[in-house]
Each structure stands twice: as structure tokens, then as C-alpha cells.
Amino acid sequence: MPTLNAVTQLLEQVAPPALAETWDNVGLLVGDRAREVKRLMTCLTITPASAREAIDGRADLIVTHHPLPFQPVRQVTTDTTAGRLLWELIGAQIAIYSPHTAFDSARAGINAYLAEGLKLKNVAPLVPVAAQDVTEGAGRHGEVTAPTTLATLARDVKQFLQLDRMRVVGADDQVVTRIGIACGSGGSLLDAAKAVGCDAFLTGEATFHTCLEAEARGMALVLAGHFASEHFAVERLADWLAAQLPEVEVWASRDERDPLRTM
């Protein structure tokens, strides 16, 4: 069986920690590098439901997109949700690894997956990590195969992410030729998308003022939902890890859910 250290090295090949944003908390967050990993669960976020699933499933490692802990902690007590989850997982000897923004920006990461799912051409990062590297960096942008409309783009996003509905900014017949992409809460990359000539921007969620700014600039905005824009990728990551670690039982969380629902 591989050790936790061996698994973390594998994950660092997929999402090099150097790609993470400076404010982020990525890498091995909880665990003993010498312990063996027999069972591994991926998830978007460690919640009471996904933590219980990992404990009941006797996981040795959780690979969670969103870090736990995210902010520095002074105490680990059950007085807070984060503290309680850490206490329970440490008590069950379950390690925690998070690739987060390194996975967002990786060559084969979430934003690259989204661009691939929309069949974009000439894809490049919105903010490359280096001028000479057009494969890694924050966000993505690319050309559509033929000019389309916001209504068609929304339909394609819904089909790829298996959504019933989503929110958009712009007219249904607004012409789209170049799309910017930033999974999760990607509103901060709106300026970068505009600077490279995008007339549409796909992200998970954005503030009201970001929506107004997109409208004022004449950019179509597609909001797929934070959960939907990233969750599919942790399922892909589970499939990849299972192929790389055939001796390890790997699964993507079956119990975590988008906390938002439409009434």
C-alpha cells in the first residue's frame, strides 16, 4: 500500500502547490506521512455529511478541494463547525489534503476541464503563471468553434454540468465568440477576461456588483453555481487517482450536496 507521503507526491504532480494563490492553504493539512493509505475519498468540501461518510467508510485520506482548516486556528475544539470536523477526523485518524487553487490553475485542472467541456479552441490562462507558459495559470479563455449566442452557451453549460437551470447576465441573442472561465467565485477575473477580448464569462458565482459591471461592459455572464462549477472535477480526480493507485479503494463523496436549492 502507498504511504500518505507517496499519495501527496502524486497529487502535487497534478496540482503543483506553486500554482496556488498566496492567500490559500494547500497541500497536506492533517496527517502522518508515514501511514499507509488503503481508502481515499475525494470531495468538494468537508461538511458534516462528507466527514461522516469518510469516517463510516473508514477512509485514510480525504482529498478535499476546499481546505480544512482554511484560516489559521488557535484551538481545535467542538465549539465551531470547523473545529468539530477536525476533531472528529483526527480522532478517526483520517488525513486531509487540499489542492484548491493549485488544481484550479493546473494544466489538467478545473478551469482546463471546463474549457474542454465547452470545446473551446486556442485555450490559454487568463493570468499565466509565466509569460513563457501558456498551459498553467488562473482561469482560462478560448474561442468557440463558431459564433454562438448566450442562450446556446447557457444550454451547453447546463448540458456539460448536468444542470436544470442557471443564472445569466445579458440578452439571449447576445453574440459570443470568446469565453472567459473561472470556477468557483471567479468575479475577480472579470477584468482579465475583458482584457483578452472575452465577450462572455463563465464562473460559479459572482457578487451583484460584478454582475452590474459585466452588464455595463457588454459582457455576457453565466453563473453555473459554485458547487456545480467545481464538483464534477473532484469526481474526475477520484477516477484519475483510482487509475494511478489500483491497490487503493477510491471514491468521490456520494453524500455531499449543493446547500443551495431552488423553491
Side-chain angles (χ1 to χ4, degrees), residues 30 35 55 76 83-95:
V30 171
R35 286 181 62 86
I55 292 170
V76 177
R84 183 172 70 255
L85 294 174
L86 283 169
W87 179 259
E88 292 174 354
L89 293 172
I90 291 170
Q93 296 189 318
I94 298 176

Side-chain angles (χ1 to χ4, degrees), residues 127-146:
V127 183
V129 293
Q132 68 272 20
D133 189 344
V134 295
T135 62
E136 295 177 326
R140 290 296 185 275
H141 67 97
E143 305 165 9
V144 297
T145 54

Side-chain angles (χ1 to χ4, degrees), residues 10-58:
L10 187 63
L11 287 162
E12 288 172 358
Q13 293 176 23
V14 178
L19 295 177
E21 299 293 335
T22 56
W23 46 261
D24 206 358
N25 188 28
V26 303
L28 182 62
L29 307 181
V30 171
D32 175 356
R33 292 182 183 273
R35 286 181 62 86
E36 289 186 343
V37 175
K38 299 177 182 178
R39 296 178 181 84
L40 185 164
M41 185 186 82
T42 68
C43 64
L44 183 62
T45 311
I46 295 178
T47 64
S50 59
R52 176 48 50 190
E53 179 182 1
I55 292 170
D56 291 345
R58 294 179 293 122

Side-chain angles (χ1 to χ4, degrees), residues 125-127 138 141 180 187-198 201 217 219:
L126 285 170
V127 183
H141 67 97
S188 63
L189 290 176
L190 184 70
D191 287 345
K194 186 64 176 178
V196 295
C198 294
F201 186 63
R217 294 184 176 202
M219 290 182 67

Side-chain angles (χ1 to χ4, degrees), residues 9 37 41 45 50 59 66-67 74 77 127 138 157 164 171 182 184 192 200 218 224 233 244 256 262:
Q9 290 178 349
V37 175
M41 185 186 82
T45 311
S50 59
H66 297 135
R74 292 179 178 273
T77 73
V127 183
V157 173
D164 294 327
Q244 301 300 312
E256 71 173 343
T262 302

